[in-house]
Amino acid sequence: MLDIEEIMERLDKEVSRNTAPRRLVVEEIVHRTSPFTSAELLEAVQSKAQGTSRATVYRTLDLLCRIGVVQRIHEDAQGGRCHTYMACGDHHHHHLICNSCGTVLDFQEDKALDALVREIEKRTAFRVEDHRLELVGLCPACQEGGRQTTDDRRPTTDGGHT
């Protein structure tokens, strides 16, 4: 689990002040175990502190993305969302996204992927400074159950299905 105090220290380096509402946003994100939308985050934070502004929630979310505490997970338009967010650790990782149930799993494939990136740099003379990888398909449970892509999926990270 991410450490709230460490995140607040990292935020303190990015912004001049860490307010109570900003801390509440961080706490809400850290305690989530599945991807969430910015609207879901706003609703959760405002249910705990009604005076928290939309701007505070969205700016904090953007800051957390910038410092690598939160990652955007992009989804196709058929899913009805542009992207969701997910708290992440300091390690570089990628996502497997189920097209049917919306399950999101982290995975690491450092050596093979790093070799591929270096080969792409060599072939294109493009210097890659960072990358994100999302593989979209069907999770084992949906393959077994014969599920197809649906528009009412709810992403989870624990293999849960709707």
Side-chain angles (χ1 to χ4, degrees):
M1 178 180 268
L2 297 170
D3 181 74
I4 293 171
E5 296 308 321
E6 181 183 322
I7 294 169
M8 295 307 293
E9 286 177 26
R10 290 171 68 184
L11 277 176
D12 196 40
K13 293 176 184 175
E14 291 289 318
V15 294
S16 58
R17 59 187 187 142
N18 277 324
T19 62
R22 182 167 281 145
R23 182 181 187 88
L24 181 61
V25 172
V26 169
E27 289 172 355
E28 182 64 34
I29 289 171
V30 165
H31 292 104
R32 288 181 174 261
T33 59
S34 62
F36 56 91
T37 65
S38 55
E40 290 166 342
L41 178 63
L42 176 64
E43 182 180 323
V45 169
Q46 287 183 336
S47 74
K48 293 178 181 175
Q50 291 180 350
T52 306
S53 74
R54 177 184 303 261
T56 296
V57 172
Y58 291 173
R59 284 186 191 133
T60 303
L61 190 53
D62 284 343
L63 282 168
L64 293 171
C65 287
R66 189 177 335 144
I67 65 172
V69 172
V70 172
Q71 278 191 336
R72 284 182 179 90
I73 299 172
H74 299 273
E75 296 184 6
D76 64 23
Q78 292 176 338
R81 299 179 184 176
C82 176
H83 55 261
T84 56
Y85 297 87
M86 189 170 173
C88 56
D90 289 333
H91 65 282
H92 189 81
H93 64 274
H94 308 287
H95 298 111
L96 295 166
I97 303 169
C98 181
N99 242 347
S100 179
C101 66
T103 295
V104 178
L105 299 173
D106 292 342
F107 75 94
Q108 288 180 279
E109 187 58 51
D110 297 333
K111 290 181 183 180
L113 189 55
D114 189 52
L116 177 60
V117 169
R118 299 301 152 235
E119 180 63 27
I120 290 169
E121 284 181 324
K122 187 174 164 184
R123 289 182 187 179
T124 64
F126 191 92
R127 187 180 75 215
V128 175
E129 296 176 347
D130 195 13
H131 66 273
R132 290 171 289 286
L133 178 63
E134 295 176 355
L135 301 175
V136 181
L138 292 175
C139 70
C142 288
Q143 292 175 56
E144 223 173 81
R147 291 186 180 185
Q148 297 299 313
T149 303
T150 62
D151 289 342
D152 62 343
R153 60 193 166 148
R154 298 298 299 169
T156 64
T157 56
D158 60 358
H161 292 76
T162 55

